Amino acid sequence: MITGILLALLAGSLVSLQTIFNSKVNERTGSWSTTTMVLFTGFIASFVISLLLEGKNTFSFQHMQPWYWLSGAIGVGVVFCLVQGMKLLGPTYAISIVLTSQLSFALLFDSMGWLGLEQIPFSWNQLIGVLVIVGGIILFKFGGLSKETSDSTDNPAHSVASKS
């Protein structure tokens, strides 16, 4: 279990890091070029690592449901939407919404047993946990708004400095 937790923490940090890198690439090129570059370099890296670690088994695709092949196309949507979300919302706000969405849909898919997942009974504690996270995002995004507004109205120099 500890290994799973460590890997999940590493995955979270890598997703955030990749999203920042993607955003920086997108500043120099378009969103579709960014998506193409990200997925192409990911393909090359995973293909080489797979050949090194799995050898011939890299090409063993027996007993796979046909719809699983859509995963790469879904990845296009993931990268494109993350790049756009970062551009429009900033890194922290965008990633917090993405993670909440992931958690919500994972809860839905687990509870319903969709897509070949083992059905895990829904509990109200799980829903409350998701709602607490949503509340945290709202607090994070809008909690300091009134202080910033009062600072800029009380101090005209602050509002001029913040506009320049």
Side-chain angles (χ1 to χ4, degrees):
M1 183 162 148
I2 297 294
T3 302
I5 291 171
L6 292 174
L7 288 171
L9 288 170
L10 179 61
S13 67
L14 291 174
V15 167
S16 294
L17 184 63
Q18 181 192 24
T19 304
I20 292 168
F21 283 13
N22 294 353
S23 175
K24 293 301 181 184
V25 170
N26 192 52
E27 289 175 5
R28 307 270 188 260
T29 185
S31 297
W32 289 112
S33 298
T34 300
T35 302
T36 301
M37 190 223 48
V38 167
L39 293 176
F40 180 70
T41 56
F43 164 76
I44 297 297
S46 62
F47 185 67
V48 168
I49 292 168
S50 178
L51 286 175
L52 291 172
L53 297 179
E54 297 175 354
K56 298 188 286 192
N57 291 332
T58 294
F59 304 104
S60 178
F61 298 122
Q62 294 86 5
H63 312 294
M64 188 186 319
Q65 296 295 337
W67 59 81
Y68 293 158
W69 288 89
L70 295 174
S71 179
I74 292 169
V76 170
V78 170
V79 172
F80 180 82
C81 291
L82 274 171
V83 167
Q84 292 302 309
M86 288 265 303
K87 189 187 320 184
L88 297 170
L89 301 172
T92 307
Y93 192 42
I95 292 294
S96 61
I97 292 171
V98 167
L99 294 177
T100 303
S101 176
Q102 282 182 298
L103 184 59
S104 299
F105 278 96
L107 176 60
L108 176 66
F109 294 153
D110 277 348
S111 297
M112 303 304 282
W114 289 347
L115 302 172
L117 295 174
E118 179 182 335
Q119 188 171 5
I120 297 173
F122 172 81
S123 78
W124 288 104
N125 289 342
Q126 294 167 328
L127 179 61
I128 290 169
V130 171
L131 294 175
V132 166
I133 293 171
V134 169
I137 292 169
I138 291 168
L139 183 63
F140 173 80
K141 181 62 180 170
F142 301 110
L145 191 60
S146 61
K147 182 175 178 359
E148 289 176 11
T149 304
S150 66
D151 284 349
S152 60
T153 56
D154 293 344
N155 185 353
H158 180 274
S159 66
V160 170
S162 65
K163 291 179 185 176
S164 53

